[in-house]
Amino acid sequence: MTAREIRKRYTEYFVRNGHKHLPSATIVPKNDPTLLFTNAGMVPFKQYFLNPSSAPHPMVATVQKCVRAGGKHNDLDQVGFTPRHHTFFEMLGNFSFGAYSKRDVIRMAWAFVRRELQMPEDMLRVTVLESDTETYEIWRDEIKLDPQRIVRCGPRDNFWSMGNEGPCGPCTEIFWDTRDPRYSIDDEERWLEFWNVVFMQYHRSPNGQMTPLATPCIDTGMGLERVASIMQGKTNNFDTDEFQKIIGGIEQLQIKHGSQVGSSKSETAYRRVVADHLRASAFLISEGVRPDTTGRGYVLRRIIRRAFRAGRQLGIRGPVLPALYPSLVAAMGTDYPELSEQQEHISGTLQLEEEAFSKTLDRGLILLESIFARGSDNKVISGADAYVLYDTHGFPIDLTEVIARDHGWSVDIAEFEKIQMQNRQRNKASWKNGKKAHPINDEINRKLAEWQDAGVSSQFCGYDVDPEQNTMSVSSRIVAFSSLANGDGLAVIDPCPFYAQGGGQESDMGYVTVHGSNQGQSTLAVTHAVAIPGSRATALVVANAGGSEQQLAAGSAVTAGIDMGRRRGCAVHHTATHLLHAALRQVLGATVQQAGSLVRTNGLRFDFTSPAALTADQLCQIERMVNSTALANERVVTSEMTLDAARSRGALALFGEKYSRDNVRVVGITDVSLELCGGTHVRTTRSIYPFQIISEGSIGAGTRRIEACAGIAASQWQRQQLEHARAAASKLNAPSLDMLSEKAQRLSDQTQTLRSENEQWLRVAATNMQAAAEHATELGSIPARIHILPTPEDLALAASGDMRLAAEYVCHWRGAQPHTAHVAICGTAIALGLCNERFPKAQAGAMLRELLKRLPGKGGGQSTLAQGRLRSAVSVDQIQQL
């Protein structure tokens, strides 16, 4: 029975038994900040065990995608070396939220195992909690299972809980007899647990006291990979059908790269690592996770880089995971269509990450080889060396551990973590010292938290504002007020027309006019608006309002007015952002995902996933599409509905954003765009014209950023560019703007000719130049000659000419005298060159960095040439002391 048949048979069986089949929740938990990833089938339903009446259905069945890598639940190190550890796996689960009892779920589970899967009874065994007599008797008296096949265990094995507090209860587990000849019938290593049925009966308090739940629930979990191994007669999950399709692809890739396919223990483990990590990385990328330096992105980066290194160990010298991606689609694409729908995006992201790591992998491996060659009494890689590999060469620490283990070494993790923490603290201090003041400071956050706890609320009426109006004011009353230490005030008014900063859009600004005070009417500026967490209320930062508690007391009447110019600009650019998003999806494909945005009154910034830069033609096409919709003067329609209704209409949601199931706001522009959005928008698209893309570039692996402006802001930008062009034409003596490009090209050609001539003269000078002084020494174990050249002032060199001269000088001498390394110093410029054929294991960059510890400065480079800059010029005496 294939894995696909097991999925199908499981869901159909429980649907026939009254369950609602729900699709897998996302691997990235939407409403659980305590978890990096969904690591069990019950994670999406945790809140329903406490409040069963809120569950989407009384009985639910799922096939849940799970990842265990990083954080508390981490199987990464065991993957490939054990039969059943995976980073990505699937959990078959059926759940009851007060709908059925222990008896019901045990009967259904046993019927599925015996009738649907046709597992023979003499190959099965169950466990129960030793004190759970009810469950024992159900198995013995109603299922008629031989008591010899019912094992009573203690709470450590058969009592399940979410943590130190929360829903918990006894469980019963079903085991398969592997018939492993190494173990006796009663040895637990012989038995494979594949289904756990948990009876959520109690709520555990922090002090350990357990109280019966008003509505008991059921939570079951069965590992698909384990069941597949049983049904296919395999002792290792990696030998099952879906894994074997991927492993077959790996073997073909090995052959393509001229590597023999062996069956050694290490080679088999490497193939399993690659197969497992391909699944995990593809599903994570499909859900919007991108390789990064922190959080989920860093876990993904570790997985990809471990797989790439394993591919290298198998003799694969080109792309690893991108080349294997078609085998993953063949194995799992039918049940998970997102794998084929997003193939270009996922493969592109994998390709970029592998290319980035490939550039540093070889240099890192050379460093590791030098550490192994250098030797150590206890065969331990120091924390300092491990940190250089991590920080400079992009080696995740666990990858360094894997390589060290392959060589019989270990890593000083304690020292590594100490150095890492010290660097984080330095970076954090540097960031704190350099960051700009933010309007939402700690004092405001404390007050917002107080008001949240006190239930302070107000009604937002800002959607009723037409951004085309020149003025707008609303009669309101003060709900809450507090003075701030800087002399400003923080106020909540009801109703409130101010849009709070959120959803990528800057907040409104404006004023509040206070009525009925002893001092008469007074108007105060509103400089910022921020939402109170967990509330629909908005708090306003009111300038110079400190000490106005009496004037702005709760119940005081005020008139609130919005800066309509600012509101109009934000509305124009927010609607333009939706049109840009739609155009990107049309030009690049539906796999494009929004990765962030910023909407300002005078422009917008839009981040999106793309493995490659956009071409000039694509950017022009996107601009034309947005401008065409703008000129069509289409209506922008907003409506509110349930989340399910919005999704059924095809509305786009920002990945990772939290939305209410009961009520979401949908913004639609005819047939062009439909998105969930809480921001402010124009009524028609005409005011967006013209739309102008200002820049497009990379902000990280697989992520691009477009900056643009629209409407009046775009017209102003275009006028400025025209003025710049006219000024440039005047400088270049171009008779008209049409001739500007030709004049600029001619000047560029002349500059290039002069630069080439200059390089030739520098080469000639370097070849024939007599050093002012020389000194023979050793750098490490490599003989070296240091050449001090005449100063840049003596040679009348232009800016950066000293660096180019030093580089040309060592390039000449490394060819003329390859038996030694050469260092040239010209003023503060320094260069080091060596012959790679003569010193194959040496790295010019590493040698220069070592030298610059004695001659203070900064520098780096490749294997044969490195360059740097000294803090100050050095004397002959200093050189001779080296």
Side-chain angles (χ1 to χ4, degrees):
M1 187 180 293
T2 66
R4 184 159 190 259
E5 289 172 326
I6 295 169
R7 290 188 197 98
K8 185 171 184 289
R9 192 165 291 198
Y10 180 85
T11 53
E12 288 179 347
Y13 171 80
F14 280 98
V15 167
R16 288 198 307 271
N17 281 274
H19 292 65
K20 182 178 180 62
H21 175 216
L22 294 180
S24 171
T26 57
I27 299 174
V28 178
K30 289 265 178 87
N31 297 302
D32 193 341
T34 65
L35 290 175
L36 269 177
F37 304 111
T38 298
N39 54 33
M42 51 72 62
V43 167
F45 305 107
K46 283 167 68 171
Q47 67 269 33
Y48 304 132
F49 294 131
L50 289 171
N51 186 14
S53 63
S54 65
H57 194 272
M59 298 185 291
V60 169
T62 64
V63 179
Q64 176 61 47
K65 298 177 290 184
C66 301
V67 166
R68 284 186 183 169
K72 178 182 175 182
H73 303 282
N74 182 13
D75 290 342
L76 201 53
D77 292 337
Q78 288 79 32
V79 170
F81 300 94
T82 68
R84 285 176 279 277
H85 279 100
H86 306 290
T87 51
F88 172 88
F89 60 96
E90 297 170 78
M91 288 297 291
L92 310 172
N94 57 286
F95 307 89
S96 163
F97 306 104
Y100 51 72
S101 64
K102 288 183 181 181
R103 178 175 291 100
D104 297 325
V105 72
I106 290 173
R107 283 176 172 172
M108 282 188 284
W110 192 247
F112 181 77
V113 167
R114 297 284 287 113
R115 296 175 195 163
E116 297 293 323
L117 300 183
Q118 297 187 353
M119 291 185 185
E121 185 172 320
D122 63 359
M123 298 290 286
L124 299 170
R125 178 180 278 188
V126 302
T127 61
V128 299
L129 182 66
E130 56 192 0
S131 60
D132 188 1
T133 304
E134 180 187 4
T135 301
Y136 178 86
E137 291 176 350
I138 292 171
W139 282 114
R140 185 193 63 188
D141 301 336
E142 300 183 31
I143 303 300
K144 305 297 183 185
L145 189 61
D146 184 344
Q148 295 296 317
R149 297 193 171 276
I150 310 171
V151 180
R152 296 183 120 155
C153 301
R156 181 176 178 181
D157 295 313
N158 280 75
F159 192 92
W160 190 93
S161 63
M162 290 185 187
N164 294 329
E165 64 175 307
C168 57
C171 64
T172 183
E173 298 172 320
I174 306 178
F175 290 76
W176 171 260
D177 187 354
T178 64
R179 298 282 173 94
D180 190 324
R182 294 176 299 170
Y183 306 109
S184 67
I185 187 69
D186 291 321
D187 194 319
E188 64 180 27
E189 293 297 325
R190 173 168 168 159
W191 295 89
L192 172 64
E193 183 255 312
F194 66 92
W195 203 345
N196 187 16
V197 180
V198 181
F199 312 118
M200 296 285 196
Q201 298 176 212
Y202 306 104
H203 183 275
R204 175 184 280 159
S205 65
N207 62 10
Q209 183 177 354
M210 287 192 288
T211 307
L213 290 172
T215 306
C217 298
I218 304 290
D219 155 31
T220 83
M222 178 162 56
L224 173 67
E225 292 79 7
R226 293 191 176 201
V227 177
S229 70
I230 294 171
M231 300 307 297
Q232 295 171 27
K234 308 297 182 182
T235 58
N236 192 302
N237 292 357
F238 290 98
D239 293 332
T240 57
D241 63 309
E242 290 186 345
F243 272 112
Q244 281 301 300
K245 286 183 180 178
I246 301 172
I247 289 173
I250 297 170
E251 292 172 346
Q252 290 300 313
L253 193 58
Q254 284 183 265
I255 294 170
K256 179 181 176 181
H257 284 268
S259 177
Q260 288 189 340
V261 178
S263 58
S264 68
K265 186 176 180 180
S266 61
E267 188 171 326
T268 300
Y270 286 132
R271 277 193 288 270
R272 290 170 176 173
V273 167
V274 173
D276 173 274
H277 289 9
L278 173 61
R279 299 195 334 159
S281 56
F283 278 103
L284 287 172
I285 295 169
S286 76
E287 293 198 0
V289 181
R290 299 180 302 282
D292 206 341
T293 56
T294 58
R296 299 180 178 104
Y298 184 60
V299 175
L300 173 59
R301 172 161 287 169
R302 290 168 60 196
I303 291 171
I304 296 172
R305 294 188 172 190
R306 285 171 65 101
F308 184 72
R309 191 259 174 177
R312 282 288 189 88
Q313 295 297 105
L314 294 169
I316 301 170
R317 292 299 159 192
V320 179
L321 298 184
L324 293 170
Y325 193 81
S327 64
L328 174 65
V329 175
M332 304 182 72
T334 303
D335 282 350
Y336 294 102
E338 63 265 32
L339 293 176
S340 53
E341 291 168 359
Q342 298 191 45
Q343 180 163 351
E344 184 179 352
H345 165 60
I346 296 170
S347 293
T349 303
L350 293 171
Q351 180 89 22
L352 284 172
E353 183 61 20
E354 285 194 355
E355 287 175 353
F357 186 44
S358 177
K359 294 174 183 176
T360 61
L361 176 61
D362 291 335
R363 294 198 295 273
L365 290 175
I366 289 171
L367 175 58
L368 276 169
E369 289 298 336
S370 70
I371 294 170
F372 297 141
R374 190 168 68 223
S376 167
D377 292 339
N378 54 1
K379 289 190 173 184
V380 176
I381 297 174
S382 71
D385 284 335
Y387 190 79
V388 170
L389 285 163
Y390 164 80
D391 190 50
T392 304
H393 301 288
F395 272 53
I397 184 61
D398 54 290
L399 179 56
T400 301
E401 287 185 285
V402 168
I403 299 172
R405 190 164 57 240
D406 289 347
H407 287 74
W409 285 51
S410 61
V411 181
D412 189 339
I413 295 297
E415 184 188 7
F416 170 84
E417 291 177 343
K418 180 180 178 182
I419 295 171
Q420 186 181 43
M421 181 59 67
Q422 289 171 346
N423 278 276
R424 282 177 178 167
Q425 289 171 346
R426 276 196 295 268
N427 293 337
K428 187 175 181 180
S430 173
W431 176 79
K432 281 185 174 179
N433 292 334
K435 71 175 184 176
K436 295 180 180 178
H438 194 283
I440 311 173
N441 56 29
D442 291 341
E443 185 183 6
I444 292 178
N445 283 331
R446 286 195 298 271
K447 182 51 66 176
L448 294 179
E450 288 178 21
W451 285 346
Q452 178 187 3
D453 293 341
V456 172
S457 64
S458 68
Q459 184 70 33
F460 177 63
C461 61
Y463 290 141
D464 301 330
V465 178
D466 182 353
E468 298 302 321
Q469 293 176 212
N470 291 322
T471 60
M472 183 272 169
S473 61
V474 172
S475 296
S476 302
R477 290 193 174 275
I478 298 289
V479 175
F481 177 81
S482 177
S483 293
L484 301 175
N486 66 354
D488 293 341
L490 193 66
V492 177
I493 64 173
D494 185 34
C496 179
F498 290 88
Y499 179 82
Q501 180 173 316
Q505 181 177 326
E506 289 184 339
S507 76
D508 281 332
M509 296 171 66
Y511 66 88
V512 289
T513 299
V514 186
H515 307 285
S517 67
N518 295 333
Q519 292 79 24
Q521 181 172 294
S522 61
T523 298
L524 301 167
V526 173
T527 59
H528 193 68
V530 56
I532 297 178
S535 167
R536 297 179 67 89
T538 298
L540 309 178
V541 178
V542 186
N544 303 314
S548 302
E549 279 82 1
Q550 185 173 357
Q551 190 180 6
L552 295 172
S556 299
V558 296
T559 298
I562 295 174
D563 179 340
M564 291 306 296
R566 180 181 176 88
R567 165 66 76 91
R568 189 179 303 113
C570 287
V572 163
H573 288 100
H574 207 145
T575 305
T577 298
H578 284 216
L579 293 179
L580 170 61
H581 190 188
L584 280 165
R585 289 170 60 85
Q586 195 163 341
V587 172
L588 301 182
T591 58
V592 169
Q593 293 184 348
Q594 182 177 346
S597 66
L598 176 63
V599 174
R600 303 184 302 269
T601 185
N602 60 350
L604 67 89
R605 187 178 75 202
F606 189 80
D607 301 339
F608 59 98
T609 57
S610 176
L614 274 66
T615 65
D617 287 343
Q618 287 174 325
L619 290 172
C620 287
Q621 187 179 355
I622 290 166
E623 274 188 353
R624 284 196 300 269
M625 292 172 68
V626 176
N627 280 315
S628 176
T629 304
L631 289 172
N633 204 26
E634 303 286 1
R635 290 183 62 225
V636 179
V637 179
T638 61
S639 54
E640 295 187 356
M641 61 190 73
T642 65
L643 182 59
D644 288 341
R647 284 175 171 162
S648 67
R649 288 181 55 188
L652 294 178
L654 182 59
F655 182 82
E657 192 74 20
K658 296 178 183 178
Y659 297 100
S660 164
R661 282 188 168 274
D662 300 326
N663 187 58
V664 293
R665 186 168 179 264
V666 180
V667 178
I669 306 169
T670 59
D671 298 327
V672 178
S673 169
L674 191 68
E675 294 194 33
L676 302 184
C677 181
T680 63
H681 291 267
V682 295
R683 299 288 175 87
T684 63
T685 60
R686 182 56 189 255
S687 55
I688 292 169
Y689 185 83
F691 173 78
Q692 177 71 54
I693 293 177
I694 297 172
S695 65
E696 187 273 342
S698 172
I699 59 169
T703 308
R704 312 290 299 179
R705 171 172 291 170
I706 283 178
E707 298 204 31
C709 53
I712 294 173
S715 296
Q716 292 172 343
W717 184 88
Q718 290 171 347
R719 190 176 304 112
Q720 289 172 353
Q721 300 310 302
L722 181 59
E723 290 171 0
H724 294 326
R726 284 173 175 159
S730 176
K731 291 285 186 183
L732 295 175
N733 294 319
S736 67
L737 292 182
D738 293 341
M739 298 290 293
L740 181 58
S741 178
E742 181 183 334
K743 282 279 190 179
Q745 185 61 53
R746 192 178 305 165
L747 180 61
S748 176
D749 293 342
Q750 292 171 354
T751 303
Q752 185 60 41
T753 300
L754 291 172
R755 185 177 291 116
S756 298
E757 292 175 355
N758 187 39
E759 293 293 339
Q760 291 174 7
W761 281 112
L762 278 172
R763 203 166 294 121
V764 170
T767 304
N768 295 280
M769 180 173 291
Q770 182 72 35
E774 293 188 351
H775 175 64
T777 185
E778 283 192 353
L779 298 177
S781 60
I782 295 175
R785 181 166 291 276
I786 300 177
H787 311 260
I788 299 181
L789 307 182
T791 66
E793 293 77 16
D794 292 341
L795 298 171
L797 292 175
S800 78
D802 55 349
M803 188 72 76
R804 297 203 303 275
L805 178 62
E808 291 290 350
Y809 192 88
V810 295
C811 286
H812 165 69
W813 283 104
R814 78 181 177 195
Q817 295 180 359
H819 59 279
T820 184
H822 293 274
V823 179
I825 299 174
C826 182
T828 59
I830 185 169
L832 186 151
L834 55 82
C835 177
N836 205 29
E837 289 78 10
R838 188 63 183 266
F839 305 105
K841 291 187 176 181
Q843 288 279 317
M847 291 174 64
L848 180 62
R849 283 192 290 273
E850 282 299 315
L851 179 59
L852 291 175
K853 291 178 181 178
R854 291 181 282 172
L855 299 175
K858 290 186 177 180
Q862 303 301 317
S863 59
T864 60
L865 177 65
Q867 297 169 271
R869 182 71 66 180
L870 300 170
R871 290 181 187 169
S872 59
V874 295
S875 65
V876 175
D877 290 341
Q878 287 177 280
I879 295 300
Q880 290 177 342
Q881 292 173 11
L882 292 174

